[in-house]
Amino acid sequence: MLPYLEIKKPWQEALSNVITDPKELWALLDLDPLLLDKAYAIIQRFPLKVPRSFVARMQKGNPQDPLLRQVLPLHEELDHVLGYGHDPLLENAVNPLPGLLHKYHGRILVTLTSACGVHCRYCFRRHFPYEKNNPGREGWQKIFDYIRGDPNINEVILSGGDPLSVSDQLLKTFTDELILIPQVTRLRIHTRLLIVLPERVTDEFLKWLMQLPLQVVIVFHVNHPNEINAEVIQALQRLRQCHLTLLNQSVLLKGVNDDATTLIRLSETLFAHGVLPYYLHTLDKVQGAAHFEVDLTHARALHARLCAKLPGYLVPRLVCEQPRKLAKTLL
Ligand SMILES: *Cc1c(COP(=O)(O)O)cnc(C)c1O
Ligand code: SF4
């Protein structure tokens, strides 16, 4: 008898075949070898992880490429910067169960997994104790009980890590139980993986979405229009057939998208493919990400430019996240 072999989906292959060695990234993009040695020290703290298809959207020989900047380990990450912390949002305080964050009225955030498709150097979760926060299958039951215990909760946000780094089967197992709780009417998915690995939009995934008796909102995370290539456009087209609400959140990042032309192009490109801009976040003050900070005056000026140039529905809300607030803070 032939041994049973689990056949990996192409996206799972791509996810296990990501670039983690700086040497390879440097070689693919013709980067300055002088910066290579330092990169190894930096990724001790937060590993390098970039899918090949994302690297293919970067310009060779350009260390300033806006997609590369988001994933490139730079020695600035080692600087200790005053005012930057390890848990800037005090998420440990709103974490009643492993894998569950309950911060705002009526909605909870579930971290299904700690894995992401890409490691973004500015990520505020780079120090989050994920290992302790993976609910696992046993933890799900407690999460469902928690929801039943608060009748106000009508929306569940799948987050992570990236919730789409888990299999379609696991997603379905989760929602098969979730939909038995009648108060829950909406499912939201926060994902960057669909953007960096658009082949994640499998037939099985679409089928799952289509059959869910919930309103589904997908919130992508795209920071720069160059991230939206032909494969992403095709994935978005497929998703749109499921009649979902598609939104995008970005982080305002120095050297990536801190100019009005880029942000306008981002909004226009997203909308051309059926996605509405939702939030433009200012950077969370996490140690190691200070070199991405855009000062508040400049952020407000950029937002004013967007308001002056775009229809209102293409202007993302400029927000920051503050601990102990009832919602994200509008700036
Ligand atoms: C951002 C966030 C949400 C969602 O907030 P919305 O304003 O509804 O998009 C929910 N829970 C947590 C913990 C969050 O950080
Ligand atoms: S995909 Fe999201 S959670 Fe993962 S590293 Fe990037 S910003 Fe952080």
Side-chain angles (χ1 to χ4, degrees):
M1 227 167 79
L2 285 170
Y4 173 75
L5 282 178
E6 196 186 351
I7 298 168
K8 276 192 182 172
K9 303 248 160 36
W11 72 268
Q12 288 168 319
E13 286 287 352
L15 194 56
S16 49
N17 187 21
V18 287
I19 294 167
T20 55
D21 186 344
K23 215 184 303 158
E24 197 179 352
L25 183 66
W26 258 247
L28 280 170
L29 292 172
D30 274 338
L31 299 175
D32 182 354
L34 277 178
L35 296 171
L36 183 56
D37 280 349
K38 287 216 180 82
Y40 285 93
I42 299 153
I43 61 169
Q44 296 294 313
R45 304 202 177 181
F46 186 47
L48 174 75
K49 183 172 187 180
V50 206
R52 282 158 210 282
S53 63
F54 197 62
V55 175
R57 296 170 227 174
M58 300 171 186
Q59 192 191 18
K60 250 187 164 175
N62 177 10
Q64 305 302 329
D65 181 276
L67 275 51
L68 175 63
R69 298 278 305 180
Q70 298 178 52
V71 299
L72 188 67
L74 289 179
H75 64 89
E76 283 92 330
E77 290 182 35
L78 301 175
D79 299 345
H80 188 86
V81 182
L82 214 65
Y84 280 70
H86 284 90
D87 179 20
L89 308 178
L90 305 180
E91 289 204 324
N92 285 319
V94 290
N95 189 198
L97 290 171
L100 175 75
L101 292 177
H102 190 190
K103 200 157 159 185
Y104 303 141
H105 179 87
R107 53 222 195 270
I108 57 157
L109 194 146
V110 177
T111 60
L112 267 193
T113 165
S114 56
C116 286
V118 57
H119 282 177
C120 315
R121 307 312 297 180
Y122 52 85
C123 182
F124 72 97
R125 297 225 162 102
R126 55 186 288 157
H127 306 288
F128 192 69
Y130 273 131
E131 313 70 48
K132 287 186 250 154
N133 244 304
N134 220 333
R137 295 283 285 276
E138 327 76 64
W140 289 4
Q141 223 45 58
K142 292 197 180 119
I143 292 177
F144 296 134
D145 289 343
Y146 183 93
I147 299 173
R148 286 190 199 93
D150 178 351
N152 290 315
I153 298 171
N154 64 357
E155 175 168 353
V156 171
I157 304 171
L158 297 182
S159 183
D162 199 303
L164 299 186
S165 45
V166 309
S167 69
D168 294 319
Q169 185 53 50
L170 199 75
L171 291 170
K172 186 169 183 304
T173 311
F174 182 85
T175 53
D176 279 351
E177 287 241 18
L178 182 69
I179 59 180
L180 301 177
I181 310 176
Q183 75 197 51
V184 176
T185 56
R186 288 196 297 273
L187 180 74
R188 197 192 316 181
I189 301 169
H190 281 181
T191 179
R192 180 149 170 75
L193 191 132
L194 277 194
I195 300 301
V196 297
L197 283 177
E199 59 267 56
R200 176 67 187 85
V201 182
T202 58
D203 292 340
E204 202 181 344
F205 178 66
L206 292 176
K207 196 170 135 215
W208 169 69
L209 287 173
M210 209 96 83
Q211 291 178 348
L212 272 181
L214 299 168
Q215 279 192 294
V216 181
V217 181
I218 300 186
V219 185
F220 299 107
H221 174 174
V222 182
N223 297 316
H224 192 282
N226 291 3
E227 292 172 42
I228 305 171
N229 66 356
E231 285 75 36
V232 172
I233 290 170
Q234 201 185 24
L236 292 173
Q237 275 167 353
R238 274 158 60 77
L239 284 169
R240 284 165 76 185
Q241 295 166 0
C242 303
H243 305 288
L244 318 166
T245 301
L246 303 180
L247 304 174
N248 183 61
Q249 53 187 346
S250 311
V251 183
L252 186 58
L253 300 165
K254 189 172 179 175
V256 174
N257 60 9
D258 59 334
D259 66 279
T261 314
T262 301
L263 291 171
I264 289 170
R265 205 152 60 80
L266 177 60
S267 278
E268 298 273 16
T269 311
L270 286 165
F271 188 68
H273 304 293
V275 183
L276 278 171
Y278 180 38
Y279 282 140
L280 178 59
H281 296 267
T282 56
L283 188 73
D284 294 310
K285 299 209 163 193
V286 60
Q287 209 52 257
H291 56 290
F292 285 112
E293 184 171 355
V294 175
D295 76 68
L296 203 52
T297 317
H298 185 48
R300 288 201 165 106
L302 281 172
H303 193 255
R305 284 285 303 282
L306 298 191
C307 291
K309 298 274 181 180
L310 288 169
Y313 59 90
L314 290 191
V315 181
R317 299 165 182 82
L318 180 67
V319 291
C320 73
E321 185 135 356
Q322 291 176 320
R324 303 190 194 86
K325 289 280 162 79
L326 297 176
K328 314 239 185 265
T329 309
L330 284 174
L331 292 169

